[in-house]
Amino acid sequence: MDHFLYRDGQLMAEDVPVAQIAAQVGTPFYVYSSATLLRHFALFDDALSGIDHLVCFAMKSNSNQAVLKLLGDAGAGMDVVSGGEYMRAKAAGVSGDKIVFSGVGKTADEMRLALEGGVRQFNVESEPEMEVLSAVATSMGVEAPITVRVNPDVDAKTHEKISTGKKGDKFGIPIERASEVYARAAALPGLKVVGIDVHIGSQLTQLEPFELAYNKVRELTKQLRAEGHEIIRLDLGGGLGIPYAQASNEAPPLPTDYGAMVKRVFDGLDVEIEIEPGRLISGNAGLMVSKVIYVKDGGDREFLIIDGAMNDLIRPAMYGAYHDIIPVIEPAAGTEQTPYDIVGPVCESGDTFTKGRHMALLKADDLIAFRSAGAYGAVMSSEYNSRPLIPEVLVQGDQFAVIRPRPTFDEMINRDTIPEWL
Ligand code: LLP
């Protein structure tokens, strides 16, 4: 459920007409709903109530400072995967003891940054990484809290590009090697083992793969404790999927069901639980709004050429992802529908959002909105074709603010420098 609904024939972002934002900000743009972000965070927080837990927002899904501040102020921790994300979390006021540092390729500089600023734990993904972290922490005279990310060899049953917990994926260490790797961690100076980490993939639409993986982690917890390690914390990753198509019967499990399963699996283990949801918090909290430039007759099809493109929202081009696309002015009931190929202005055929999508008749200058664009939307955008990054807007009730302005052409161009000798 989100806060983008039609009222009196107008698509609203909470209590603000989307068309009003478009008139003020220009298109294309992203708009996020504070109420939806907070509601989704609260759903997870409540689902784990009664057990010691921390919900760490996977800020790779949406790392705008205003979004981070909103969630951080509500009590969220952050899951970061780079020095840049770490600095963004800190800049938004999140304290180091609520930041978990994930990622398969952390550099010594990134480790130093987090150890200086404070960090809840590093989720270590390999032995070489463990050795570097040991050296960095020792050189600073501190102890780095760590979990080791295990690969449980579970099929997440999701898109192959976002599945991460199968044998052969680049993530974590094979679970059967855990005993050996934890012994190595315990022997290295400057490291303090605090738990286990697992993340099997993104946009999971069933609970079973999670449960399979979590049962393995439960057994591993007992085994590692028996081997003398202090396992006080389990990071269970993110990955719970969202419904991208409202009209379909697709209904991924709810955070409440997920939370109940987590409580069931880890019942009696006396361990703190961390989770790292990204998409389920930010996905349905955002729209990308775009304007029709031309309706073009393509012979056997009609093209809707819009001012948003693959550089602004890459998910359809990259994963063949489906997004609901709706007109900003609500069509009257029973309005005739026609199939459109909806495409952007970028010079490649891959710049296609969808083919043969049935929509009410549209014409130049009409506004349309891509739903479920709050996660992996703005963060994955680029300036390909020298199209400046599009603005982001945050709505709260009847107020809205631009939380990242559209750069001018000059700002974009002047980031480049021409050497003197040219
Ligand atoms: N934790 C770790 C270690 C992760 O790698 C990820 C996502 C998450 C948490 C959050 O997963 P979520 O709850 O958002 O599913 N760009 C792709 C998704 C990539 C996900 C990468 N890792 C997309 O647009 O679908």
Side-chain angles (χ1 to χ4, degrees):
M1 131 104 220
D2 60 45
H3 289 76
F4 301 112
L5 301 170
Y6 288 114
R7 198 183 299 157
D8 299 331
Q10 283 264 358
L11 183 64
M12 307 292 288
E14 300 193 16
D15 296 325
V16 183
V18 169
Q20 186 189 331
I21 305 175
Q24 222 160 303
V25 175
T27 54
F29 63 91
Y30 281 100
V31 56
Y32 311 126
S33 151
S34 308
T36 311
L37 287 162
L38 291 175
R39 178 173 181 276
H40 290 167
F41 166 68
L43 279 178
F44 273 112
D45 210 26
D46 292 348
L48 294 176
S49 66
I51 59 171
D52 200 3
H53 71 276
L54 183 66
V55 179
C56 295
F57 176 55
M59 55 178 277
K60 63 171 74 68
S61 70
N62 188 320
S63 55
N64 186 287
Q65 287 291 288
V67 170
L68 301 186
K69 173 140 179 30
L70 182 79
L71 292 170
D73 286 354
M78 297 291 155
D79 167 48
V80 309
V81 292
S82 68
E85 284 197 351
Y86 178 83
M87 294 306 281
R88 276 186 176 273
K90 293 286 284 191
V94 180
S95 71
D97 61 1
K98 283 180 136 181
I99 302 177
V100 301
F101 207 132
S102 302
V104 72
K106 302 174 203 78
T107 64
D109 284 345
E110 290 175 320
M111 293 168 181
R112 205 166 294 117
L113 199 67
L115 284 171
E116 267 162 15
V119 66
R120 185 176 180 81
Q121 92 230 4
F122 292 94
N123 295 329
V124 173
E125 299 220 15
S126 67
E127 286 149 300
E129 181 194 338
M130 200 179 266
E131 281 156 23
V132 171
L133 183 58
S134 164
V136 171
T138 311
S139 76
M140 294 171 69
V142 298
E143 226 176 25
I146 66 158
T147 69
V148 177
R149 177 166 173 181
V150 294
N151 179 336
D153 192 21
V154 164
D155 184 355
K157 302 202 169 93
T158 182
H159 192 286
E160 58 159 326
K161 283 192 182 160
I162 53 177
S163 172
T164 57
K166 261 312 259 176
K167 217 182 203 124
D169 290 334
K170 72 177 177 184
F171 301 97
I173 56 134
I175 196 161
E176 59 277 8
R177 292 201 52 235
S179 195
E180 190 187 330
V181 175
Y182 272 83
R184 177 95 186 101
L188 282 169
L191 302 183
K192 176 164 175 47
V193 169
V194 294
I196 307 172
D197 172 44
V198 68
H199 170 79
I200 57 172
S202 195
Q203 185 55 16
L204 272 70
T205 51
Q206 300 165 34
L207 281 186
E208 287 75 14
F210 286 117
E211 192 159 356
L212 273 175
Y214 295 171
N215 275 316
K216 292 189 179 193
V217 170
R218 178 191 166 83
E219 290 318 303
L220 182 61
T221 305
K222 293 186 193 161
Q223 183 195 328
L224 292 176
R225 281 178 173 171
E227 290 168 10
H229 302 286
E230 219 182 329
I231 305 296
I232 56 169
R233 190 182 289 169
L234 301 178
D235 182 334
L236 303 179
L240 200 54
I242 59 171
Y244 274 96
Q246 283 209 323
S248 82
N249 292 327
E250 180 195 29
L254 300 170
T256 39
D257 300 331
Y258 172 83
M261 179 272 289
V262 166
K263 287 181 184 171
R264 189 171 67 241
V265 171
F266 296 106
D267 185 36
L269 209 55
D270 187 23
V271 74
E272 182 186 356
I273 298 293
E274 289 164 357
I275 54 168
E276 302 169 348
R279 190 188 315 261
L280 208 141
I281 291 181
S282 57
N284 283 333
L287 304 176
M288 183 183 80
V289 180
S290 184
K291 192 167 72 178
V292 177
I293 311 176
Y294 299 116
V295 182
K296 172 170 163 171
D297 179 0
D300 61 345
R301 64 194 62 219
E302 244 182 326
F303 290 108
L304 211 55
I305 302 176
I306 63 173
D307 61 2
M310 64 187 290
N311 68 298
D312 304 312
L313 176 65
I314 203 172
R315 301 193 70 258
M318 187 152 172
Y319 313 111
Y322 177 96
H323 284 260
D324 273 342
I325 305 170
I326 57 173
V328 165
I329 302 299
E330 187 177 20
T335 306
E336 184 197 342
Q337 298 227 328
T338 189
Y340 289 113
D341 284 12
I342 303 184
V343 301
V346 162
C347 303
E348 42 182 297
S349 300
D351 187 18
T352 297
F353 290 110
T354 183
K355 288 187 172 170
R357 182 76 61 94
H358 284 79
M359 308 267 297
L361 284 182
L362 286 159
K363 56 184 188 323
D365 291 336
D366 284 348
L367 297 172
I368 58 173
F370 288 73
R371 295 179 58 86
S372 313
Y376 308 111
V379 285
M380 293 182 78
S381 59
S382 75
E383 288 181 341
Y384 185 40
N385 278 212
S386 286
R387 296 166 45 85
L389 293 181
I390 67 176
E392 294 173 278
V393 172
L394 185 68
V395 171
Q396 188 163 57
D398 61 1
Q399 53 183 346
F400 73 93
V402 174
I403 56 173
R404 186 182 71 190
R406 192 188 309 276
T408 63
F409 288 131
D410 277 347
E411 282 165 346
M412 177 177 70
I413 295 164
N414 292 334
R415 283 204 313 264
D416 299 357
T417 51
I418 299 175
E420 262 168 44
W421 38 263
L422 255 194

